Amino acid sequence: MTFYQYIAEGLFFVFVLLIMAGSFITIRARILMHTVLGLAVALLGVAGIYFYLGSMFLTLMQILIYVGAVCIVLIFGIMVGSTPTEIAEKTIKDRKNIFLAVSAAAAAFFLLMISILKTEWIAAAAQVRDFSAEHLGESFLYQYCLAFELISVILLIAIVGAIILAREGRGQDDKNPWAAPTQGPAHVKELTSVTENKGDPLA
Amino acid sequence: MILISDNLYTYLILAVFLLIAGIYGLVQHKTFIGMLVSTELILNGAGINFMAFNRFLAPDPAIGQIITLFIMGIAAAEAAIVVSFIIAVFRKYHSIDPDDVMELKG
């Protein structure tokens, strides 16, 4: 084992530690914002694990989509809700729920560990071992095109559904935020009157 | 010498850890957002599982990456939907506690 392999192994444990610390913060934090920040740390660790599993592209996508997008959406969801100190008292649970949580997690752990250790994993006879983004993109757009199209349709439906859901309970005045203002600020009017004829050179 | 980072079981146990952390958080949290965050942990455990099988067992390494990307897309869509749902619920009930939301009317 060379020097660089030792460094690689050490980094692997750093990523595992990131995942463990992040998920511990996520499930035990009393303030909701800390929960999401713990999730971001755990997701960064998962991105590192994807790198060790051979996919640079998935590493970058994990950072971009999860840490960049999903966590921001969650933080936004927290900020429009109640304030963090208001929530802090509420997340402390009574003993009964902790017992339920521990027993559910332990049951899942033992069931899965038994099946992991008892199964004999057999690798495929011929493996391609091509982890390049080029190979991934070709398979994605030719052979597995349906998955690609499904993702785009699901995201479109999610965006439309999110807009409909979030607009539901608004007041009468806010029904159409894109409607033209009946009386805009004075300087806007001035600006439009100045650029009215000069804006379009063909007019 | 067997490297720990080059072993299928390491990644499977890591995925199990993420799953049980997610289940624990799902039962233990008392807010919608906390439950959603725990769901993200579970989905990431599934992603690690797929990538591990993809790396060690699968004939074509593109398949597992595509499934993991699909999971990421689903997770992003789910987060957007649930956050807008939380905003709607907060507007109607002025609470983010799941126990307060008790009516199921249209």
Side-chain angles (χ1 to χ4, degrees), chain A residues 108-161:
Chain A
F109 177 76
F110 284 117
L111 275 176
L112 284 170
M113 286 308 283
I114 287 169
S115 56
I116 283 174
L117 294 177
K118 278 209 166 181
T119 313
E120 194 183 332
W121 305 105
I122 301 162
Q127 291 179 303
V128 178
R129 294 254 176 243
D130 186 1
F131 285 92
S132 64
E134 192 184 352
H135 178 63
L136 173 65
E138 255 174 39
S139 321
F140 213 169
L141 285 179
Y142 288 117
Q143 206 175 347
Y144 304 103
C145 188
L146 182 65
F148 183 77
E149 298 296 336
L150 262 181
I151 291 178
S152 47
V153 171
I154 285 171
L155 284 176
L156 177 71
I157 293 172
I159 292 168
V160 174

Side-chain angles (χ1 to χ4, degrees), chain A residues 1-11 52, chain B residues 1 3 5:
Chain A
M1 215 163 120
T2 63
F3 179 62
Y4 292 112
Q5 276 173 319
Y6 278 116
I7 293 181
E9 285 294 292
L11 264 181
Y52 275 84
Chain B
M1 183 182 172
L3 287 172
S5 67

Side-chain angles (χ1 to χ4, degrees), chain A residues 26-104:
Chain A
T26 303
I27 59 180
R28 292 298 296 168
R30 286 169 54 194
I31 295 175
L32 210 45
M33 190 64 88
H34 296 178
T35 303
V36 178
L37 294 181
L39 177 76
V41 172
L43 295 182
L44 273 178
V46 173
I49 296 301
Y50 284 164
F51 185 75
Y52 275 84
L53 286 169
S55 177
M56 192 67 207
F57 180 69
L58 259 284
T59 307
L60 296 177
M61 282 301 115
Q62 173 85 7
I63 295 173
L64 195 71
I65 297 177
Y66 265 117
V67 185
V70 172
C71 282
I72 296 297
V73 168
L74 291 176
I75 287 175
F76 178 73
I78 290 172
M79 284 177 152
V80 296
S82 32
T83 53
T85 45
E86 223 176 298
I87 299 158
E89 270 72 40
K90 279 190 164 184
T91 38
I92 310 169
K93 299 294 294 189
D94 47 338
R95 289 220 168 269
K96 189 183 153 204
N97 226 341
I98 291 222
F99 171 72
L100 263 180
V102 169
S103 52

Side-chain angles (χ1 to χ4, degrees), chain B:
Chain B
M1 183 182 172
I2 301 170
L3 287 172
I4 295 174
S5 67
D6 197 28
N7 191 353
L8 177 61
Y9 288 103
T10 315
Y11 296 101
L12 293 184
I13 290 169
L14 205 57
V16 167
F17 173 78
L18 274 178
L19 176 81
I20 62 166
I23 289 177
Y24 181 90
L26 202 58
V27 181
Q28 192 251 353
H29 269 294
K30 214 182 151 78
T31 54
F32 281 123
I33 299 257
M35 292 159 84
L36 176 63
V37 166
S38 308
T39 317
E40 301 291 342
L41 280 184
I42 295 178
L43 285 172
N44 267 279
I48 286 188
N49 238 338
F50 275 116
M51 286 296 285
F53 287 134
N54 180 47
R55 162 82 172 71
F56 292 102
L57 306 180
D60 184 1
I63 305 171
Q65 298 184 50
I66 286 169
I67 294 178
T68 310
L69 275 175
F70 196 75
I71 291 174
M72 282 185 197
I74 299 253
E78 173 232 14
I81 286 283
V82 174
V83 165
S84 65
F85 172 75
I86 290 167
I87 292 174
V89 165
F90 184 73
R91 213 176 267 144
K92 195 164 161 54
Y93 294 90
H94 289 283
S95 161
I96 56 166
D97 188 349
D99 291 343
D100 288 350
V101 185
M102 290 174 67
E103 325 166 18
L104 271 181
K105 287 181 200 158

Side-chain angles (χ1 to χ4, degrees), chain A residues 160-181:
Chain A
V160 174
I163 292 174
I164 290 173
L165 268 178
R167 275 173 58 82
E168 192 85 333
R170 299 187 103 181
Q172 202 66 33
D173 293 336
D174 301 329
K175 261 289 188 278
N176 188 2
W178 293 286

